Amino acid sequence: MTAAPQPNVIRNNAADHNDLVASRDDEETVAAAATTMTQWRGNTVPEKEAKALRHVFDDLQDHFGYQRVDPRVRFNNTNLARLGNGRTWFSDLDFTYDIKGDQCNLAYIGMDVCVDLAPKLVHKHGQPMLKNYGKSWVYVYLPQLTFDKFKSYVKFGTGWDVSDEGTVFDPNRDTVAIEAKMHHESGQPKPSFWAAKEKEASAGDMSFSRIGTVQDVSSHSSQQRIHRGVGIFSVSMEIEGTANFKPSPRMGDEANLCFNLVSFRTWGTTDGVAPIVHAPR
C-alpha cells in the first residue's frame, strides 16, 4: 500500500537550523532584526509580520481552495488552556508561511469560500430563528475537498484530528457550511468587506476596494446574496477534557475548529450554492 501524500507544509530541518544559527553575527543583531518595525495600512508592525500580512491580505497567496496548489504553510497551536472552570480546553492556531524562503508567522489564514448574506426565515411569531445572523456570525460555504485538506493540515501541524461538529454537509453539492463568528461589539474591529474593482480581471491582476464591514453590507437588500471570494480567518481549537487533566491527541479526542471571519474579498455573487434559510439542527 502506498503512503498517503503529506500536505505541502514547511518542515523544520535541523541542518538548516544549525546553518542559520552559525550565520548569525550575535544575539543583538538577531534581536534588532526581530524588532524592526514598519507600516502596514496605517498600523506599525514588525517587518516580518508586515510581509506575512501583505502575502495573505493583499496578494491573497497560500490560501486554501478547490484545485489550488497546496499552500506553503505550517499550522501551529499555542499551549492548551482551560476556559474558565469548565471542561473545555482552548488553543489558538497560528500559521508559518514560507515566503520565498523566509519563515513568517501570522495569526490568519485564507480560504476560497462563499459568504451567505441571504435573508433567513423567521418563526411564525416573528422572532429570528438564527439569532444575530449577519451581525455576530454568518454561514460560509466551501467544497468538502477544501475542508478536508484544511483538516489534514491541522492534523499534520498539531497532531489533532478535527471533528465535523458545527458544520452542515450538503451532499447534493458536496459542500460544507461553517458557522463563522464575527466581531461586532463596540471597540472591536469588525470584518472588512472588499469588492473587486474589475470583476473580469485575472486572479493575479485583480484589485479590491473596501466598501464597509460585512455587517454594513448585509444590511443592504441589494447585497443580500451569496458572495464568492476569499475569506480570511483567525482559527482556534476547542477540545473537551476534564478540569484537572489536559487533553492530548494521543488519547483519541477530536478538536472542534472555531472560525472568526476577519476580512472578505469578493469578485461577485453566485446562484450555484443553496443557502441555509433556517436552523438546520
Side-chain angles (χ1 to χ4, degrees), residues 38-68:
T38 189
Q39 291 287 310
W40 181 76
R41 295 193 189 165
N43 299 299
T44 302
V45 297
E47 271 191 355
K48 291 191 73 168
E49 183 179 351
K51 187 173 186 177
L53 287 165
R54 288 190 292 268
H55 187 75
V56 173
F57 283 80
D58 300 340
D59 301 332
L60 300 180
Q61 295 298 303
D62 284 322
H63 63 274
F64 287 77
Y66 182 59
Q67 293 184 337
R68 289 188 179 275

Side-chain angles (χ1 to χ4, degrees), residues 147 163-169 176-179 281:
F147 190 53
S163 167
D164 289 328
E165 184 175 336
T167 65
V168 182
F169 177 60
V176 176
I178 297 171
E179 298 179 11
R281 295 185 301 280

Side-chain angles (χ1 to χ4, degrees), residues 106-148:
L106 195 65
Y108 308 109
I109 194 80
M111 291 193 293
D112 283 340
V113 297
C114 293
V115 171
D116 183 1
L117 302 184
K120 305 304 172 192
L121 294 180
V122 297
H123 283 303
K124 60 182 179 181
H125 300 297
Q127 296 299 316
M129 295 177 71
L130 301 175
K131 187 177 180 181
N132 289 328
Y133 190 84
K135 178 183 178 182
S136 64
W137 69 283
V138 289
Y139 279 120
V140 298
Y141 309 117
L142 67 161
Q144 177 73 55
L145 287 174
T146 301
F147 190 53
D148 287 344

